[in-house]
Amino acid sequence: MELARSLVGSSPAALTVEGLSWGPSHRAPIVRDLSFVVAPGEMLALVGPNGAGKSSLLRCLYRYHRPTAGTVRLDGVDLWSLPPRATARRIATVLQEPASDFGLSVAEIIELGLTPHQHDGSPHGYASVEAALELLGLAPLAARDFASLSGGEKQRVMLARALVQKPDLLILDEPTNHLDIRHQLEVLALLAALPTTIIVSLHDLALASAHADRVLVIADGRQAALGPPLEILTPAAIRETFAVETAIDSHPATGRPRFSFHLEPRR
Ligand code: ADP
Ligand code: MG
């Protein structure tokens, strides 16, 4: 994990969200009146049904959507008072849309993560590209054409690129949706070990509860619950948000909570 630590920024960011709403103009807001704080080094998991507003919220947090109300502050400074380059130096993202960088190799795509730091005299360079390739098991793919990779391989490349950026805040939108089981577990364990601040949307409640410090539940654009996973992800709360029944027991091998879901039996 030394390798992992060498890849993130040295000053994990605090994020303060206050009264945040966002929506396209002439429409009802899609995220509504959210307020929460993410502490430096904390890992916050964002969960909620399809269409709840998770991606929209994340876009506000990495300065893509300008809030229609409220603020998002990075170490106390409003994101929209900072030049875009200043946020690019501190915030890295792993998004769902596949990259549109055609004709580049895996190593070249990862190298793009160095761009925000190119003119600030920071010493790290290609060594961190090699470290990221190693860390994500991508070394054998380094010379491959990025476009030829599987969805899961691409997802790991995008994570490697984000790490090379040495972020103080790492924002990931469903980073495990294309990964096989082993890579899901590895990526979550890697994220949990990084000393940087992380906000990650996840569909898998067991992954969220095993690795996140806290969970934020978004339902219909609103903040339904926020707190430590086991306090928040109760069968009653999961029924309310996801309309499924849940049995939670303890995994016989790891002792971690195990979630099993079913639909309400038909009467
Ligand atoms: P989630 O990531 O939780 O699945 P999203 O944030 O992607 O949810 O979307 C929430 C809702 O807002 C969806 O109904 C989606 O269609 C709508 N939406 C998202 N972005 C826009 C936009 N730019 N214009 C109009 N509707 C949008
Ligand atoms: Mg989404």
Side-chain angles (χ1 to χ4, degrees):
M1 279 303 154
E2 270 315 298
L3 194 55
R5 270 182 244 284
S6 75
L7 278 171
V8 289
S10 48
S11 33
L15 193 78
T16 311
V17 174
E18 237 171 59
L20 172 67
S21 296
W22 175 83
S25 44
H26 315 301
R27 269 203 44 182
I30 284 169
V31 296
R32 293 181 245 193
D33 200 22
L34 305 180
S35 296
F36 58 90
V37 174
V38 190
E42 187 179 13
M43 176 159 159
L44 178 75
L46 192 58
V47 305
N50 294 141
K54 302 179 295 297
S55 296
S56 301
L57 167 59
L58 293 177
R59 289 183 195 117
C60 295
L61 305 186
Y62 57 77
R63 198 188 186 279
Y64 178 83
H65 284 331
R66 188 175 200 137
T68 45
T71 54
V72 178
R73 284 180 283 142
L74 188 70
D75 289 332
V77 181
D78 189 328
L79 282 186
W80 287 89
S81 73
L82 292 167
R85 196 176 181 87
T87 46
R89 269 200 284 263
R90 298 203 65 202
I91 306 177
T93 57
V94 178
L95 306 178
Q96 290 175 295
E97 301 77 30
S100 54
D101 310 283
F102 298 109
L104 295 184
S105 72
V106 165
E108 284 166 338
I109 292 272
I110 297 174
E111 235 181 300
L112 293 175
L114 296 171
T115 313
H117 294 288
Q118 243 151 29
H119 304 292
D120 63 5
S122 73
H124 77 284
Y126 204 75
S128 52
V129 174
E130 286 178 335
L133 283 165
E134 193 62 38
L135 191 64
L136 287 153
L138 292 166
L141 301 178
R144 278 270 297 279
D145 180 359
F146 177 76
S148 74
L149 301 185
S150 75
E153 289 164 345
K154 281 183 181 160
Q155 224 158 14
R156 278 149 58 213
V157 172
M158 299 321 283
L159 177 56
R161 169 162 96 168
L163 292 181
V164 158
Q165 236 177 294
K166 295 214 170 198
D168 294 322
L169 171 62
L170 179 56
I171 294 177
L172 309 98
D173 199 355
E174 293 180 31
T176 55
N177 62 346
H178 292 296
L179 299 183
D180 61 36
I181 299 163
R182 171 144 196 121
H183 284 116
Q184 288 187 20
L185 296 174
E186 283 181 356
V187 162
L188 263 294
L190 165 64
L191 293 177
L194 292 174
T196 197
T197 310
I198 297 178
I199 303 174
V200 52
S201 71
L202 290 170
H203 274 300
D204 187 323
L205 301 185
L207 282 179
S209 89
H211 297 285
D213 298 306
R214 287 188 303 157
V215 173
L216 172 59
V217 183
I218 302 287
D220 197 19
R222 296 173 201 276
Q223 185 168 327
L226 171 64
L230 292 182
E231 286 174 28
I232 296 305
L233 299 174
T234 61
I238 295 170
R239 180 186 305 123
E240 174 76 23
T241 301
F242 295 94
V244 295
E245 301 299 309
T246 313
I248 304 177
D249 61 3
S250 177
H251 190 284
T254 62
R256 284 177 177 157
R258 175 170 60 182
F259 294 75
S260 316
F261 305 105
H262 59 278
L263 296 172
E264 193 185 348
R266 295 219 176 104
R267 286 166 214 277

